Amino acid sequence: MGFFEKYVKQCRKPSGLLGKFVGRSMNFGHGGIRSWGLSHITVSPQSNILDVGCGGGKTVQELAMLAPDGKVYGIDYSEDMVELSKRINRKLVQKGLVEIRHGNVSSLPFEDDFFDFITAFESYYFWPDLIGDLKEIRRVLKPAGTFLLANEVYKHEKFEKRNSEYVRLLDMMIHTPGEYREFLDEAGYTQIHIDEKAEKNWIAAVSRK
């Protein structure tokens, strides 16, 4: 297996030295999708926010800047990413503005109606039970809370060759924009808005509880 394949396979659940390198690389490399994705929501300073699949922790850091009077939680199923995210957000953690936990999307360690906003960047591809996991996210959203799902890969004929290789290497799922609307509706979300940046193969889905 060449380095490219080893690197790509780490994107599913980064671990070990290469995984930590991949986590730091994603902190840098996902800057574009983070900025574009977050441009679809307006976060109030007092917001209580969760980032699902927080990876290296850069999204958590940027969310904390948007909600200086609130609190941002990150959760990831890779213990190495939890460690890295805590390190990246060390000062914010010490101030009580950020909390990083080890866990998974299928069983979120939070009470019902807890968050104003929930984000998920580049992580839904690997969720074990898409509809069930979306319902679990909806459970911990406050009534009328906002869920932002943003990804750099979605089904599009222009990117079919590249994306099929990612799907093969990572055993990941991807969907069309129409399918995003369908699965969010099936999971009970409302006010669903889908936006595409087709030239980059980026997609953002904003919905409400």
Side-chain angles (χ1 to χ4, degrees):
M1 186 187 299
F3 179 77
F4 173 76
E5 288 196 6
K6 289 180 180 178
Y7 182 96
V8 170
K9 285 180 176 292
Q10 280 284 340
C11 294
R12 185 180 185 98
K13 188 179 183 181
S15 60
L17 290 176
L18 180 56
K20 290 177 181 178
F21 172 75
V22 169
R24 289 186 179 276
S25 298
M26 290 191 293
N27 277 345
F28 175 77
H30 290 165
I33 189 69
R34 272 197 309 272
S35 296
W36 182 72
L38 291 175
S39 73
H40 292 80
I41 61 175
T42 301
V43 176
S44 65
Q46 300 82 19
S47 296
N48 206 31
I49 307 173
L50 172 66
D51 184 41
V52 177
C54 63
K58 189 65 176 177
T59 300
V60 168
Q61 189 178 74
E62 294 191 11
L63 288 167
M65 293 174 65
L66 297 174
D69 301 318
K71 186 166 183 177
V72 180
Y73 295 77
I75 190 165
D76 203 283
Y77 76 154
S78 165
E79 292 183 359
D80 286 327
M81 289 302 96
V82 170
E83 179 186 333
L84 176 58
S85 189
K86 285 180 178 179
R87 189 178 306 133
I88 293 294
N89 292 284
R90 179 175 55 84
K91 291 182 180 179
L92 292 168
V93 171
Q94 289 173 348
K95 292 178 180 178
L97 300 175
V98 160
E99 184 175 324
I100 310 295
R101 298 188 185 182
H102 179 247
N104 67 78
V105 65
S106 300
S107 182
L108 296 170
F110 304 101
E111 62 190 55
D112 295 357
D113 307 328
F114 191 72
F115 295 103
D116 300 288
F117 291 91
I118 297 179
T119 61
F121 286 86
E122 292 287 278
S123 63
Y124 103 108
Y125 313 118
F126 314 117
W127 295 352
D129 175 12
L130 181 58
I131 299 302
D133 297 338
L134 287 168
K135 288 180 178 179
E136 175 67 356
I137 288 173
R138 186 176 176 274
R139 176 186 69 80
V140 300
L141 264 179
K142 292 180 181 178
T146 299
F147 174 46
L148 167 65
L149 183 61
N151 298 298
E152 287 186 316
V153 175
Y154 68 94
K155 276 187 182 178
H156 191 291
E157 59 183 10
K158 181 180 176 182
F159 295 89
E160 184 175 357
K161 183 177 179 181
R162 183 203 67 176
N163 292 350
S164 63
E165 183 69 359
Y166 287 154
V167 169
R168 181 186 71 82
L169 288 172
L170 287 165
D171 189 26
M172 60 190 268
M173 59 181 174
I174 59 174
H175 298 85
T176 65
E179 289 170 333
Y180 270 72
R181 184 175 299 279
E182 290 172 5
F183 65 61
L184 285 166
D185 179 71
E186 183 178 346
Y189 292 84
T190 63
Q191 300 180 46
I192 301 166
H193 174 73
I194 311 292
D195 191 20
E196 303 169 59
K197 200 163 189 174
E199 69 274 17
K200 288 184 175 289
N201 199 217
W202 291 357
I203 189 167
V206 180
S207 56
R208 296 286 186 95
K209 179 171 179 176

